[in-house]
């Protein structure tokens, strides 16, 4: 492992790498050997964190449906076992389930590892780490990689046992019991979803269990559910609620099967979205509005923390209709979660942290971004609405939605892309100050959000620097037809003076 670049594996608070050949210019850097060393490094990190010796630690390991998953998982487990720790082999699992294993009586794992790369292409994989305090932070990952780079691990005289457990069934039973108790159906307590057709699209990821182990025991008709079988080639569509093809697929399935509700998960089930009975997406701003309505009924006045690209209509809905507080923060699921936790620590109630990507974390659930938990909250509301003769979308009937919305990703063509990107944003601020009908919105936590007040634009845009990539994402929304194009045209005039900025995205999408 001499000259191996361990730092390249870090992706914020996760580890991500190329695990399979097959994509041009992408060399494999996440092998079973690397995974083995990372397993050992996690044990050593845990020893320092929880004050136990390796032989007293229990670590659970699971994976999603990726082709590289079994071999990498075996490498991780053998590494953990080799220095004396006990391993629980959960086989196919979800990312949230792995955390739950650290707080479930009878398991009480000291740590957990999930092999996943979320919605990334088939050749990628990665590791997510958990303790009972939640997912690890960026510094924790740096520390684990530093231990891996040293690779100074003593083999144990007695290897730790590797035990197989069906934890996904334990995890699923938690949802079954929660939904039964919350709905409290007067005639069908055991099967409160009886009479409802609910279909699941797992995208051939790890989420198929939800149809079989949660919905079926609750009495739902799951006829029409699709792509439940794990398949790491992802042959039908990318398992990603933000992907247009994926959402179109579940919407069409709901309509074709005359379903009452549709559910779609990403590969490792930390994100979810839904579709109403009319085949309309309950995604992005609509999903945030829906779960906010539920949360603010349960916890009046709560602060809802979102990422930076949520719509003005959502703010009006949360604050005007629901009488809550909308705190628009930064992109990045860990950012919104940590901000919500911070607010609570300072005495400001915040029961929900959620990104437009579908990452949603609730105070009542350890601030864990769990797509299955979020969906289960919606199903409780769906069943209760039916008992009351109402419809779930009634909750967001007054949400004002934009007429148009687009994201343009402007690539930066210089090595020091962060400095270049910040300079572009700084000069844009000066440009905006010269526009009589554009105003910088206060309280920007990343990039710059601008309100566009003319009747032909009636919207906003946000320019920010990507968290990891040499890209300036530009989000534009408008309440009038043609408004996005009007705003984009004015911005093109500004951007075209930057020689190292690729603005071809404007012309591809226009």
């Amino acid at each position: 492992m001499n000259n191996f670049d361990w730092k390249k594996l870090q992706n914020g608070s996760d580890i991500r790498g190329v695990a399979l050949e097959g994509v041009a210019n992408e060399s494999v850097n996440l092998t079973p050997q690397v995974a083995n060393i990372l397993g050992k490094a996690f044990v050593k990190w845990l020893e320092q964190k929880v004050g136990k010796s390796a032989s007293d630690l229990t670590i659970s390991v699971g994976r999603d449906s990726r082709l590289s998953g079994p071999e990498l998982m075996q490498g991780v487990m053998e590494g953990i076992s080799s220095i004396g720790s006990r391993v629980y082999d959960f086989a196919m699992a979800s990312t949230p389930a792995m955390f739950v294993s650290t707080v479930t009586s009878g398991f009480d794992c000291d740590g957990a590892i999930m092999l996943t790369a979320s919605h990334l292409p088939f050749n990628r994989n990665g590791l997510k780490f958990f303790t009972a305090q939640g997912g690890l932070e960026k510094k924790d990952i740096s520390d684990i990689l530093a231990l891996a780079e040293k690779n100074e691990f003593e083999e144990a005289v007695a290897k730790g046992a590797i035990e197989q457990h069906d934890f996904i069934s334990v995890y699923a039973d938690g949802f079954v019991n929660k939904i039964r108790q919350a709905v409290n159906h007067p005639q069908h307590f055991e099967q409160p979803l009886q009479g409802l057709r609910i279909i699941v699209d797992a995208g051939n990821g790890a989420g198929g269990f939800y149809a079989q182990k949660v919905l079926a025991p609750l009495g739902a008709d799951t006829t029409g559910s699709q792509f439940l079988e794990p398949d790491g080639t992802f042959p039908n569509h990318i398992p990603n609620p933000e992907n247009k093809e994926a959402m179109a697929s579940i919407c069409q399935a709901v309509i074709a099967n005359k379903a009452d509700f549709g559910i779609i998960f990403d590969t490792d089930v930390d994100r979810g979205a839904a579709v109403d009975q009319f085949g309309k997406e309950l995604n992005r701003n609509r999903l945030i509005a829906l779960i906010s309505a539920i949360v603010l009924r349960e916890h009046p006045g709560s602060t809802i923390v979102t990422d930076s690209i949520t719509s003005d209509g959502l703010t009006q809905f949360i604050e005007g209709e629901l009488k809550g507080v909308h705190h628009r923060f930064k992109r990045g699921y860990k950012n919104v979660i940590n901000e919500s936790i911070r607010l609570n620590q300072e005495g400001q109630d915040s029961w929900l942290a959620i990104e437009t990507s579908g990452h949603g974390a609730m105070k009542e659930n350890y601030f864990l971004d769990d797509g299955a938990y979020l969906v289960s909250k919606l199903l409780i509301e769906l069943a209760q609405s039916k008992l009351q003769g109402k419809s779930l979308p009634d909750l967001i009937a007054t949400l004002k939605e934009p007429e148009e919305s687009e994201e343009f990703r402007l690539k930066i063509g210089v090595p020091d892309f962060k400095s270049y990107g910040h300079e572009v944003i700084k000069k844009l601020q000066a440009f905006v100050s010269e526009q009589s009908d554009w105003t910088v919105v206060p309280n920007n936590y990343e990039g710059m959000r601008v309100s566009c007040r003319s009747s032909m634009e009636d919207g906003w845009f946000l320019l920010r620097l990507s968290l990891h990539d040499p890209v300036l994402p530009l989000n534009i929304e408008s309440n009038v037809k043609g408004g996005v194009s009007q705003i984009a045209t004015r911005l093109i005039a500004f951007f075209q003076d930057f020689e190292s900025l690729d603005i071809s995205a404007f012309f591809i999408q226009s």
Side-chain angles (χ1 to χ4, degrees), residues 318-351:
I318 290 173
E319 299 192 341
E321 297 289 328
L322 303 179
K323 308 305 178 186
V325 177
H326 182 199
H327 180 41
R328 191 185 284 126
F329 195 55
K330 299 177 182 178
R331 289 282 274 172
Y333 73 96
K334 291 290 281 186
N335 286 329
V336 295
I337 290 171
N338 288 342
E339 179 69 359
S340 190
I341 292 170
R342 183 189 69 80
L343 292 175
N344 282 290
Q345 290 171 343
E346 294 184 358
Q348 182 175 343
D349 264 5
S350 178
W351 285 81

Side-chain angles (χ1 to χ4, degrees), residues 412 416-429 445-448 463-466 471-472 494 498:
I412 301 172
D416 187 9
F417 66 89
K418 290 189 177 181
S419 296
Y420 192 88
H422 288 309
E423 184 65 21
V424 173
I425 293 170
K426 182 180 177 182
K427 289 184 177 179
L428 178 61
Q429 186 165 5
Y445 293 94
E446 64 174 346
M448 183 173 61
L463 183 70
R464 61 186 175 86
L465 185 61
S466 171
V471 172
L472 282 167
F494 165 77
F498 293 90

Side-chain angles (χ1 to χ4, degrees), residues 203-260:
N204 301 113
F209 77 91
Y210 198 86
Q212 300 147 356
K213 296 179 181 290
V214 180
L215 295 180
L218 291 170
D221 177 358
T222 61
T223 304
S225 291
Q226 58 188 20
F227 318 138
L228 303 183
E229 292 301 316
D231 184 340
T233 64
F234 308 124
N236 295 291
H237 61 66
I238 296 170
N240 180 7
E242 285 194 292
N243 179 264
K244 290 181 180 180
E245 289 182 4
M247 287 308 300
S249 182
I250 183 64
C251 290
Q252 290 164 8
V254 166
I255 294 168
N257 290 280
K258 297 182 173 60
D260 298 287

Side-chain angles (χ1 to χ4, degrees), residues 436-485:
S436 61
D437 54 350
W438 284 3
T439 306
V440 176
V441 176
N443 300 325
N444 284 295
Y445 293 94
E446 64 174 346
M448 183 173 61
R449 188 178 178 113
V450 174
S451 175
C452 308
R453 301 186 307 278
S454 80
S455 60
M456 295 181 68
E457 296 175 352
D458 188 14
W460 58 270
F461 67 83
L462 172 73
L463 183 70
R464 61 186 175 86
L465 185 61
S466 171
L467 296 175
H468 307 295
D469 302 320
V471 172
L472 282 167
L474 172 70
N475 293 86
I476 307 178
E477 281 194 2
S478 173
N479 297 313
V480 295
K481 284 188 176 180
V484 167
S485 178

Side-chain angles (χ1 to χ4, degrees), residues 334-408:
K334 291 290 281 186
N335 286 329
V336 295
I337 290 171
N338 288 342
E339 179 69 359
S340 190
I341 292 170
R342 183 189 69 80
L343 292 175
N344 282 290
Q345 290 171 343
E346 294 184 358
Q348 182 175 343
D349 264 5
S350 178
W351 285 81
L352 174 66
I354 186 166
E355 264 204 313
T356 50
S357 66
H359 280 287
M362 306 187 74
K363 183 179 178 180
E364 67 189 54
N365 188 41
Y366 306 96
F367 275 115
L368 174 67
D369 53 320
D370 186 342
Y373 191 92
L374 193 70
V375 162
S376 296
K377 291 285 286 189
L378 299 184
L379 287 177
I380 291 166
E381 189 69 27
L382 178 71
Q384 290 176 335
S385 295
K386 187 184 179 188
L387 283 171
Q388 297 164 10
K390 297 179 180 179
S391 171
L392 183 62
D394 291 347
L395 282 179
I396 56 172
T398 57
L399 174 67
K400 183 180 178 182
E401 299 186 72
E403 185 70 31
E404 298 178 342
S405 178
E406 289 285 353
E407 180 175 272
F408 304 90

